[in-house]
Amino acid sequence: MEDAYTRSASEVLDFFAVDPIKGLTDSQVADHGRMYGQNVLPQEKSTPFWKLVVKQFDDLLVKILIVAALVSFVLALINGDTGLTAFLEPSVILMILAANAAVGVITETNAEKAIEELRAYQADVATVLRNGCFSIVPAIALVPGDIVEVSVGCKVPADMRMIELLSDQLRVDQAILTGESCSVEKEVDATSAVNAVYQDKTNILFSGTVVVAGRGRAIVTGVGSNTAMGNIRDSMLRTDDEATPLKKKLDEFGTFLAKVIAGICVLVWVVNIGHFRDPSHGGFLQGAIHYFKIAVALAVAAIPEGLPAVVTTCLALGTKRMARLNAIVRSLPSVETLGCTTVICSDKTGTLTTNMMSASKICVLRSTHHNPNSSEYTVNGTTYAPEGAIFDNDGVRLDFPSQQPCLLHIAMCSAICNESSLQYNSDKGTYEKIGESTEVALRVLAEKIGIPGFDSMPSALNMLSKHERASYCNRYWENQFKKVSALEFSRDRKMMSVLCSRKQSATMFSKGAPESIISRCTSILCNENGSVIPLTAEIRTELEAKFNSFAGKETLRCLALAVKRLPIDQHVLSFDDEKELTFIGLVGMLDPPREEVRNAILACMTAGIRVIVVTGDNKATAESLCRKIGAFDHLGDFVGHSFTASEFEELPALQKTIALQRMALFTRVEPSHKRMLVEALQNQNEVVAMTGDGVNDAPALKKADIGIAMGSGTAVAKSASDMVLADDNFATIVAAVAEGRAIYNNTKQFIRYMISSNIGEVVCIFVAAVLGIPDTLVPVQLLWVNLVTDGLPATAIGFNKQDSDVMKYKPRKVGEAVVSGWLFFRYVVIGAYVGLATVAGFIWWFVYADTGPMLSYGELVNFDTCHMRQTSYPCSIFDDRHPSTVSMTVLVVVEMFNALNNLSENQSLLAIPPWSNLWLVASIILTMLLHILILYIQPLSAMFSVTPLSWTEWKVVMYLSFPVILIDEVLKYFSRNSRGIRLKLRFWKTDLLPRREVRDK
């Protein structure tokens, strides 16, 4: 029954044909069970493990690598190789793919946990009326029409319509569903709100919420999937995980690379068809297989096998740095997504604010001799910590607040007329509340005012331990005034009172809604001299004006405090005693904005990131908070920038588009609205980060490009998110965005490094094949270069320091290619030099080396006809390991120099020297040591078909390798001074990667 909130209680009872005195009969329970189903969230079938594993290999680059590994293995067996070399290359490739698949499976398994976490919010049992008797039944057995009784501490077992209040009031904490910071009072009357959201349905108890005060009865209207919690589950199931921008670009790069690799491999094979019959191969088929092996080697050279591992490592390093910033990353790819975030949809309560109600304003009567009569004080401190000061109208700090009569009595009343408590949690290092937020705020205020009697009181309090300090002043007043009787808060009175005895006197302290307290007061306490004077109409009007200003313009939650002397022999309070009170003062409270939020939001604006505040609170309260933050002053007023969910839904399509582009505040929202906002922004090609802490936030967190949960939030929100803020602080998001941008820049650098290195390897093999010289590098050598000598420096590039101006630029576009235009040209030039230098080292040994055969170039390119003609050298020299060792060493060393080029995209090595990243220097040293190890240790040198080099050969290696730095310095110079050469050819106008739609809808 979806419209139960609009109907009267009797109408709902009639709809389900239930007697409110007897409840459902057994036959009705059975009928309703068949009709509406069980009161349980259906368990979604989880994806089988084997499907998750197979899914990780559904990638074109991965498939090419698998084929290359299998072909390499088969060809090795055909050639009769059964030793370690036959298995080394395919085994290493498959191990890398298995490691990446494991990371993917773990990530996807975590994503499914969010839906399971919802079950934790379902009640276990319920007190239900059936056949005229109350009994406790499993919550799963409830059916629509059941009459359920709830009381303090009960978890609501299903969606229910209130039919009867059994106490003065019934309050429910529904923050997990709506994000409201305070508990909500429930009523029996029907609601007339149009387009009502959960907050408007004040007669509905929602499944999973908790009763915090009172007792009542309600009729079940929705069970299982037909509850608010069920709607959240369904919304999460409908949400598909979006691929991150980097993942999309890498996928596109993989597709592009696969086509290029396939084309080059076929080209190399076709170009050499004329050589298939060369006698050296022993037949046409053997010749075809030989050149097919070269094509496979080319594929191995072209595919950056280490790229997935290096990307994963770099992102993991980023998560470590972000954890130190209190941002705990649950999904590795989300680290990079932060870098291109364009909109942050931020929850208000607990993220922009402290989620700790705090007294901020006090109004008391100064005396009737001044105009105005009232005096206003400001209280600072934004948490539950008893730390803060009180300032007068002129902004002067009060050194001894307790010396002011009204402030002293406010402290007394705040401590005595209070059911909450404040304590220090040493494990978390924070002060925590037990009870209603407004009452805890009064306790903290009493601590800030302090106690009278000592000139050194403020400093004396600071000498206490944090456990003692938490409630020292409150305990002092509780020891001074012994509670005798109390009148609890009720809806009609809107106040509570406590009778206390002290030194042969009886005093009643009262607190409540200002309109209720002021109307019951006949006198007022003066702050100037502590005298009590009659409450005149003029003073009453001034107090009411102050209250309206606090509650209206400043949107503070206000409480009025009062006192009354009673006869010493009175031991019980009655409602008649709550008359002729003496007004003490007015206290205005709010959930204060975090002090660091203003600068954090301004930093976002500088970085081109828009912040939209999203909250379940009402519009006026949210706008007031945004004004207090001070970061939205540039908007003037909020007209055209602030919308309630209902207002936004009523806009025509075109105006919705305009509203989305201007929106800064979105209020009175429920779960479906948050998800709708994320989708609408994504449709405008925005990259959206969404924050949240409640169950209600989970669908939006899952849908957003990056979902950010609060550390103090629900398990459901955390499971649905990509990142968790340990300190619940918006400023942490900004720090994480800066880190995300730095990580992307570093990721971009090592991807370019690996691409230029792989271009070099492709050029090396292709040029060797075209020239017709022997194989410069064997596949196992290429694999060593790709995995070890490429992988270590590429990983170390991830440690490049964050640029100081990283937050001064607009977010990069989602469709921005990792390598494009001028940059691609730069790295083709570098790659071409790497390849040519490698081939040059090979040719040098045969033609010019003193230790080589000193062949002519013509003899080298006709090596395959050596045994058919008379030569002055043995044909076995073409099997010598020296030339391929020189080539491999040139390739390794030139790539080490190229790694130094990637300390910065455009800055010279003179500006950013190698020691700015000591990890890179260390990785280069380690790589060279490993390379020397395989050259000079016998079992390894045989495995990699290499041999030790002489000092002359090492010098040639250095001569051929070092120029790569000079070439890139020239290219960087052009980049800095002319922002790159703008090539006019059509090929260069487009990205290296083919353009696609930003999102697949």
Side-chain angles (χ1 to χ4, degrees), residues 180-254:
E180 293 165 292
S181 54
C182 293
S183 58
V184 178
E185 188 174 348
K186 295 297 180 179
E187 56 189 21
V188 177
D189 298 335
T191 303
S192 58
V194 180
N195 296 326
V197 294
Y198 291 146
Q199 295 92 319
D200 299 324
K201 299 175 183 178
T202 52
N203 52 23
I204 300 291
L205 304 180
F206 296 105
S207 174
T209 59
V210 179
V211 179
V212 295
R215 185 165 151 258
R217 287 180 190 166
I219 180 171
V220 176
T221 56
V223 295
S225 295
N226 296 318
T227 61
M229 205 66 73
N231 290 338
I232 290 173
R233 171 193 169 277
D234 293 342
S235 181
M236 290 170 71
L237 285 175
R238 291 194 300 270
T239 302
D240 296 322
D241 291 328
E242 290 282 342
T244 67
L246 180 61
K247 176 72 166 65
K248 290 176 182 177
K249 299 315 292 183
L250 288 179
D251 288 346
E252 290 180 15
F253 171 67

Side-chain angles (χ1 to χ4, degrees), residues 253-275:
F253 171 67
T255 304
F256 172 76
L257 192 59
K259 294 174 182 176
V260 172
I261 291 168
I264 293 176
C265 289
V266 170
L267 182 62
V268 167
W269 197 68
V270 170
V271 164
N272 285 286
I273 286 179
H275 296 286

Side-chain angles (χ1 to χ4, degrees), residues 422-675:
L422 182 67
Q423 62 186 23
Y424 180 73
N425 186 325
S426 55
D427 293 334
K428 296 181 181 178
T430 57
Y431 291 89
E432 295 180 341
K433 71 175 178 101
I434 298 175
E436 283 284 349
S437 300
T438 51
E439 292 202 329
V440 178
L442 290 177
R443 285 216 179 273
V444 176
L445 176 61
E447 295 295 330
K448 291 176 181 178
I449 293 172
I451 54 180
F454 301 98
D455 289 343
S456 61
M457 179 47 64
S459 57
L461 287 173
N462 292 334
M463 294 174 68
L464 298 171
S465 71
K466 291 187 175 182
H467 285 285
E468 293 174 308
R469 182 68 187 92
S471 297
Y472 186 86
C473 298
N474 281 274
R475 281 197 300 271
Y476 171 82
W477 292 119
E478 286 169 349
N479 291 332
Q480 291 286 316
F481 294 91
K482 302 300 180 184
K483 290 186 182 181
V484 177
S485 178
L487 289 174
E488 297 296 331
F489 182 94
S490 67
R491 292 181 63 199
D492 53 345
R493 289 163 43 247
K494 295 184 179 178
M495 63 182 293
M496 73 171 288
S497 300
V498 175
L499 174 63
C500 304
S501 64
R502 182 197 189 199
K503 297 179 182 178
Q504 303 303 311
S505 66
T507 307
M508 182 183 74
F509 291 104
S510 299
K511 79 167 191 290
E515 62 271 23
S516 296
I517 294 290
I518 294 174
S519 65
R520 288 174 164 82
C521 290
T522 56
S523 59
I524 186 166
L525 181 67
C526 292
N527 197 42
E528 194 170 75
N529 54 18
S531 62
V532 176
I533 63 171
L535 181 58
T536 63
E538 182 186 353
I539 298 173
R540 194 183 297 271
T541 301
E542 188 173 334
L543 290 175
E544 288 173 351
K546 276 291 180 187
F547 162 56
N548 291 330
S549 173
F550 280 11
K553 184 180 177 182
E554 299 186 50
T555 61
L556 301 178
R557 191 181 299 272
C558 296
L559 284 176
L561 309 179
V563 67
K564 182 180 181 179
R565 305 297 177 191
L566 292 175
I568 186 60
D569 57 348
Q570 184 167 340
H571 300 291
V572 178
L573 282 180
S574 69
F575 295 142
D576 290 335
D577 292 319
E578 294 180 325
K579 296 175 182 176
E580 299 180 351
L581 306 179
T582 299
F583 185 86
I584 303 173
L586 187 69
V587 179
M589 293 169 281
L590 81 161
D591 181 5
R594 293 177 182 269
E595 294 175 357
E596 61 274 26
V597 160
R598 180 179 183 275
N599 290 336
I601 293 179
L602 291 175
C604 282
M605 293 175 180
T606 303
I609 301 170
R610 188 154 56 100
V611 177
I612 300 177
V613 180
V614 183
T615 178
D617 274 348
N618 65 61
K619 193 173 183 178
T621 302
E623 288 181 358
S624 174
L625 173 85
C626 290
R627 289 190 191 95
K628 284 186 173 70
I629 290 172
F632 297 95
D633 294 346
H634 65 285
L635 298 178
D637 57 29
F638 281 93
V639 176
H641 301 283
S642 174
F643 300 88
T644 65
S646 301
E647 288 170 350
F648 182 77
E649 285 185 320
E650 290 169 2
L651 292 175
L654 180 60
Q655 289 187 26
K656 273 186 182 178
T657 302
I658 297 170
L660 279 172
Q661 294 168 354
R662 304 185 63 201
M663 185 183 291
L665 191 55
F666 197 43
T667 55
R668 299 297 281 175
V669 300
E670 58 183 33
S672 59
H673 296 135
K674 291 187 175 184
R675 189 177 186 277

Side-chain angles (χ1 to χ4, degrees), residues 894-930:
V894 77
E895 289 186 3
M896 295 305 100
F897 284 125
N898 191 28
L900 294 176
N901 288 333
N902 285 277
L903 281 166
S904 173
E905 184 177 309
N906 294 316
Q907 292 299 313
S908 167
L909 275 173
L910 298 175
I912 302 179
W915 52 86
S916 65
N917 185 345
L918 292 177
W919 287 101
L920 182 59
V921 174
S923 71
I924 290 173
I925 293 171
L926 178 60
T927 300
M928 290 308 302
L929 288 175
L930 289 172

Side-chain angles (χ1 to χ4, degrees), residues 822 826 905-908 966-981:
W822 164 247
R826 278 175 54 181
E905 184 177 309
N906 294 316
Q907 292 299 313
S908 167
L966 302 178
I967 294 170
D968 202 50
E969 285 293 311
V970 172
L971 294 170
K972 283 180 178 180
Y973 174 81
F974 282 113
S975 292
R976 289 194 304 272
N977 291 282
S978 60
R979 295 188 181 180
I981 304 300

Side-chain angles (χ1 to χ4, degrees), residues 102-156:
V103 172
V105 168
I106 291 169
T107 301
E108 296 207 23
T109 304
N110 283 338
E112 292 188 352
K113 287 182 182 176
I115 295 172
E116 290 304 311
E117 295 281 4
L118 279 173
R119 294 176 176 273
Y121 292 90
Q122 291 183 288
D124 296 321
V125 295
T127 303
V128 63
L129 176 65
R130 288 179 180 172
N131 302 309
C133 298
F134 276 101
S135 59
I136 297 176
V137 302
I140 193 174
L142 288 181
V143 296
D146 265 329
I147 292 175
V148 176
E149 187 168 302
V150 293
S151 58
V152 178
C154 283
K155 190 179 284 185
V156 178

Side-chain angles (χ1 to χ4, degrees), residues 349-386:
T349 306
T351 308
L352 300 181
T353 67
T354 62
N355 196 21
M356 298 181 188
M357 194 65 72
S358 176
S360 65
K361 289 287 182 72
I362 299 173
C363 175
V364 298
L365 180 72
R366 184 161 35 172
S367 75
T368 55
H369 305 302
H370 298 84
N371 189 25
N373 298 319
S374 61
S375 184
E376 195 174 298
Y377 294 94
T378 302
V379 186
N380 73 0
T382 58
T383 67
Y384 289 141

